[in-house]
Each structure stands twice: as structure tokens, then as C-alpha cells.
Amino acid sequence: MLTGITARAGHLRKTLSRATPVPIMIRGSAFLTGLLALGVAWPAQLLASRYFVLIALLALWPALAPAGRGGTAVALTAVGGWLLDTAGFDSRIALWRVLALAALLYLAHTLTALAAVLPIDSIVNLDVPGTWLGRAAVVILISSVLIVLALGLTADLGGSAFQLATLVGLAGATTVTILLARMAHHE
């Protein structure tokens, strides 16, 4: 057992000695955006408690092992925190918070994906993450505008028409997700 621990420590030391700045910066950004997403989602009372250490460790997981399930765990925990805060703590739902949470979750996801395909010892120009983040900014901007427009429509529609549109949208999103998963599985 001691031999295994020593071997892992040696492997970690070798990996860190070969690490280059851009992949480290991307992993650090994935950690920071995940931590901010969790901070926006979770109730302030829990963030100010000793549970903050657990939340910070969870946000660190995708940065350390981006190819694993850490990004999904952070996103699901953020959604769970949002539900806990709005339903359990009766917090008011504010537009800025919804937009910030959505943007931070998307940024954390896309940075984790970039970190997963980028070896920690690779030599990369800053153009690569710059272009990657530029595309993410466009997606966030378009999504934010669509959210604001959709919220404007909810005030006009309301009632059963809005509920029907919501169910049709959820069914469409589910169908597209299933089709994409099947296409990826067949490749």
C-alpha cells in the first residue's frame, strides 16, 4: 500500500512539473466558474457555514479530473442548491440570478470540456481558449436574450396556452437529447 501511495505521489509530481500555463489557467477557470455557479445557486446561510469547504471541494473536482463526472456533479449540485434555496428557503427568484446561474453553469461546462481534451502539458496559444470563450460568450448572449423574451411572453400568455407550450418545448428538448445520444453511441 505504501508503494502505491509513493508511486501516485511520484506520478503527480512528474505531471505537475510538466504542466504548462494555459491548461492550468483553463482548469483554474473551470474551478472558479463552478464555484461561482454553486455560490449563486446555494442559499447564503449554507455558504457562510462550514459546508462551504465541501462545496469548494466539489467545485475542484472537474478541475482535477475534467474527463470524469465532476462537471455533471457540480451542475446537478448547483441545480439542487437552486431548488433548495427557492423552495426550501423561500428565496425570491430574481432574473439576474437565473441568468448568472445559467451563464456560469455553461461556462463551467465548456471550460471543463476544453480541459478534458487539452493535456495538462500541452503547449497552446492563447487563441485557442480565446476563441473557445468567444463562442461561449455568443451562446450566453443569445440565450440571455431568449430568456428575457420568453419571460416577457409568459406575462402575456399565461394559463393553459403557456403550459402547453412548455410541455411541447420540454418534449422537443428531450427528443433532441435522445437523438443526439443515439447518434453519438452509434459512432
Side-chain angles (χ1 to χ4, degrees):
M1 182 165 143
L2 185 59
T3 307
I5 293 172
T6 306
R8 284 186 186 196
H11 178 69
L12 178 63
R13 192 175 324 116
K14 180 181 174 186
T15 301
L16 289 177
S17 70
R18 295 179 52 198
T20 56
V22 174
I24 294 292
M25 179 184 67
I26 291 168
R27 287 170 184 246
S29 299
F31 163 69
L32 183 62
T33 54
L35 184 63
L36 288 173
L38 290 167
V40 168
W42 278 83
Q45 298 91 331
L46 292 178
L47 290 174
S49 70
R50 64 178 183 252
Y51 296 112
F52 179 75
V53 174
L54 294 174
I55 290 172
L57 288 174
L58 179 68
L60 188 61
W61 182 10
L64 295 177
R69 305 236 185 261
T72 303
V74 168
L76 290 176
T77 304
V79 170
W82 172 261
L83 291 174
L84 177 69
D85 192 32
T86 56
F89 285 77
D90 290 328
S91 290
R92 194 173 131 286
I93 298 175
L95 179 61
W96 74 266
R97 221 171 138 206
V98 173
L99 293 176
L101 181 60
L104 288 168
L105 283 176
Y106 181 72
L107 277 175
H109 165 75
T110 194
L111 287 168
T112 301
L114 179 58
V117 297
L118 197 63
I120 199 161
D121 60 349
S122 60
I123 305 295
V124 181
N125 284 339
L126 284 176
D127 296 351
V128 173
T131 305
W132 193 279
L133 290 174
R135 289 181 190 150
V138 169
V139 169
I140 290 169
L141 179 65
I142 291 171
S143 299
S144 298
V145 169
L146 289 176
I147 287 172
V148 170
L149 290 174
L151 288 174
L153 286 175
T154 61
D156 294 338
L157 288 177
S160 61
F162 180 68
Q163 290 175 349
L164 178 64
T166 302
L167 290 175
V168 169
L170 286 172
T174 303
T175 303
V176 168
T177 303
I178 290 170
L179 288 174
L180 289 174
R182 286 188 180 174
M183 288 172 55
H185 181 68
H186 290 295
E187 289 180 7

